[in-house]
Amino acid sequence: MRSGDVDGDIDGSDAERIHASRTRHKCVLLVFAALFFGVQLAHTCFRTNNWPFCSYSLFSFRPGLAVSTLRVIFHGADGSTQTGRAGQLVPLEFFRAQQVLYDVYVRSDDRVRATAVAHVLLDRLNSAPWAGFDETLAAARQPSGVQFVGFDIILQILETGSPSSPRTPPVVVRSQTVFSFREQ
Amino acid sequence: MRLLLARSLTFIFDDPELTIRLPVARVVLGSACAVLLAFGPYDRFFVDTAPYLYPVRGALLPPPGEWFAGLRAVGIVSSVAFALGLLTRASCVVTACSFGLVTFYAAQFADRPWSYNTHLLFFLLMFCCVETPREWGVSGDASPASLRNAESQSFLLFFMRLFVGMIYFQAGLAKLLESGSGWFLSGQTAWSMTALQGTALGKELCRFPWMFPLGSIATGFFELSFLFFFPFRRIYGWLTFAALGFHFMLWATLGISFWHVAVFVPALFGPVRWRTRAA
């Protein structure tokens, strides 16, 4: 049934009541939409996030010629090492994985929590490595199947330059180990 | 002015494409939720790290426990049922509750998310509030559509379209507010992010730096203008093409597709034939 169809058996007063009811209904929906999207827009204007409302500010920053990032060095039981990204240690979207590692290992001094989380992450890596999907990277794996015994988290400053003065590939200008963990 | 108002109200409350768009949107929505819950980043990481990462102080809900996997499983089953049109009212409610809880918990572990997929949750909640056409569904029961319900259905379609347009607009506005026009004119952000974490193709394109300011300007134009093409149905096909091209470009260069937004573009804006009143 299309909304324009009208029942011909309705008398005048009923038709007026139905029309008034439909008008009120539409007004309620329009006010709801205005309020809802107003709240949405406010989150962008004030750069805040309150689940389930979001600012959608992914990549809205403008970095300088150098950017900081976290890298992970994975240590195998056979003495091998491999360098990877935060998302290969934490089974979240790559940008959230980086945020979790920043919060636990760079911004916080709580070494007890840092070590406990490291235990959990290493155990997960060895017992149930995850496959990649969309923005979630696949877990780091040893080609030989040898277990990991620890990892280091490295804070790197890389110079990428700009489109007018590019540095390709990016150059590591500073590298600092912020956390090291080895399974006993 | 009256004509503009009348046309606007018709656009919002009397959409001629309902019988095609809503079932398709339902299938897309249910499928997207099922895929996210089944393959997305919602596994036992949250249970294992809850003692250390879940913000207990001021939390609305207790930390996630072993029941989290069951909640996820319920969400997958109900969202598949919703996509198939099986007991759609019940399956929609269950999907909304389970998907909402799972994504709520995920959001507590990283409080600077930049981007959510909660448009899916809002769409589910809106679907819960209207009776939708049962075409393409498997269940035999059909609900009668009243005039008000038809208007609600049309509003639901309008709401979803507006939401998609607002996502793009907010993304563009966020860039403008935080970084100014320099975000688009310099191409610095696109350049840096592609150089650092882009795909093999993206890093190869870094050999042509001039492409990044151009790509950034095109991104800004697309994001900030998409919303304003809404009233012009005749170009919905071009809007769909532009949006899918935008998402493909992001995926090809950065490995980020925002597929859970992209899948709604052909569903809501893709070219369809509809019967006019006269026909």
Side-chain angles (χ1 to χ4, degrees):
Chain A
M1 180 187 286
R2 295 289 308 281
S3 62
D5 297 343
V6 176
D7 187 342
D9 294 333
I10 300 174
D11 66 21
S13 61
D14 284 342
E16 278 180 18
R17 241 196 328 272
I18 290 171
H19 179 73
S21 171
R22 286 173 62 190
T23 301
R24 270 196 305 275
H25 179 235
K26 289 177 188 175
C27 287
V28 166
L29 292 177
L30 288 174
V31 168
F32 163 74
L35 288 174
F36 180 89
F37 289 109
V39 169
Q40 274 278 93
L41 204 54
H43 280 73
T44 297
C45 294
F46 292 105
R47 289 188 233 163
T48 183
N49 300 287
N50 295 291
W51 190 93
F53 294 97
C54 179
S55 60
Y56 295 107
S57 56
L58 192 61
F59 293 135
S60 62
F61 59 93
R62 187 174 164 191
L65 300 181
V67 293
S68 70
T69 190
L70 292 180
R71 289 286 185 258
V72 183
I73 298 177
F74 300 91
H75 297 271
D78 58 355
S80 62
T81 61
Q82 59 175 277
T83 303
R85 295 166 62 180
Q88 293 174 275
L89 176 63
V90 182
L92 298 178
E93 299 99 321
F94 66 87
F95 48 92
R96 291 202 176 93
Q98 181 129 253
Q99 188 201 333
V100 168
L101 293 187
Y102 260 108
D103 286 346
V104 176
Y105 298 109
V106 178
R107 297 192 181 99
S108 171
D109 296 328
D110 189 341
R111 293 286 104 173
V112 174
R113 183 178 76 149
T115 304
V117 173
H119 268 294
V120 172
L121 294 177
L122 191 65
D123 183 59
R124 175 64 196 271
L125 205 58
N126 285 324
S127 63
W130 57 94
F133 173 75
D134 193 31
E135 296 158 352
T136 304
L137 304 178
R141 290 176 200 253
Q142 289 275 64
S144 55
V146 172
Q147 299 249 298
F148 292 109
V149 295
F151 59 85
D152 303 327
I153 295 177
I154 316 295
L155 178 64
Q156 283 186 340
I157 308 293
L158 294 103
E159 275 192 5
T160 62
S162 69
S164 54
S165 57
R167 300 289 299 270
T168 46
V171 176
V172 179
V173 295
R174 192 176 139 208
S175 192
Q176 176 191 353
T177 301
V178 295
F179 183 79
S180 282
F181 176 76
R182 300 289 183 273
E183 196 73 86
Q184 299 302 323
Chain B
M1 193 65 188
R2 270 193 177 183
L3 183 62
L4 183 62
L5 180 64
R7 282 189 175 170
S8 300
L9 291 175
T10 301
F11 183 83
I12 297 171
F13 294 109
D14 195 13
D15 197 291
E17 302 171 357
L18 277 182
T19 53
I20 297 174
R21 297 280 188 201
L22 281 191
V24 171
R26 194 199 73 235
V27 172
V28 169
L29 178 57
S31 303
C33 291
V35 168
L36 267 175
L37 288 173
F39 303 107
Y42 302 116
D43 65 12
R44 62 169 304 109
F45 167 80
F46 299 108
V47 181
D48 296 338
T49 57
Y52 318 108
L53 300 181
Y54 186 74
V56 179
R57 196 181 311 165
L60 290 175
L61 296 173
E66 294 302 322
W67 46 264
F68 193 74
L71 178 67
R72 198 174 156 211
V74 166
I76 293 169
V77 171
S78 62
S79 51
V80 169
F82 179 61
L84 292 175
L86 294 169
L87 302 171
T88 47
R89 177 55 64 88
S91 57
C92 185
V93 171
V94 174
T95 304
C97 291
S98 50
F99 184 82
L101 277 172
V102 168
T103 53
F104 166 78
Y105 275 113
Q108 309 311 305
F109 285 72
D111 62 357
R112 291 187 301 281
W114 301 287
S115 175
Y116 281 134
N117 53 25
T118 46
H119 59 286
L120 301 176
L121 176 61
F122 287 123
F123 290 178
L124 286 169
L125 292 173
M126 293 295 286
F127 264 94
C128 288
C129 296
V130 299
E131 295 287 345
T132 54
R134 303 300 173 130
E135 287 84 354
W136 294 25
V138 179
S139 276
D141 59 325
S143 300
S146 65
L147 288 175
R148 277 170 55 133
N149 193 57
E151 288 164 354
S152 297
Q153 290 172 359
S154 186
F155 176 80
L156 168 60
L157 185 58
F158 168 76
F159 178 88
M160 289 191 288
R161 283 173 170 159
L162 185 56
F163 206 125
V164 170
M166 281 296 289
I167 289 175
Y168 295 137
F169 183 76
Q170 285 179 255
L173 183 64
K175 296 176 177 75
L176 204 56
L177 290 176
E178 185 166 349
S179 304
S181 59
W183 193 100
F184 308 101
L185 298 177
S186 69
Q188 178 68 28
T189 304
W191 166 263
S192 293
M193 294 301 103
T194 305
L196 277 177
Q197 59 196 31
T199 61
L201 172 64
K203 290 180 179 176
E204 182 64 24
L205 289 178
C206 288
R207 295 172 54 211
F208 310 98
W210 54 267
M211 294 182 74
F212 289 83
L214 284 180
S216 300
I217 291 170
T219 294
F221 178 77
F222 168 77
E223 288 180 337
L224 293 170
S225 69
F226 186 93
L227 196 60
F228 300 101
F229 290 112
F230 267 17
F232 310 106
R233 284 186 194 277
R234 292 184 187 281
I235 63 167
Y236 275 11
W238 290 107
L239 278 187
T240 303
F241 177 75
L244 293 180
F246 171 72
H247 285 278
F248 177 78
M249 182 268 296
L250 285 180
W251 171 75
T253 55
L254 285 170
I256 303 170
S257 63
F258 298 109
W259 64 269
H260 41 74
V261 176
V263 291
F264 283 97
V265 173
L268 300 175
F269 298 98
V272 296
R273 291 177 181 272
W274 66 84
R275 288 192 193 142
T276 62
R277 273 182 201 274

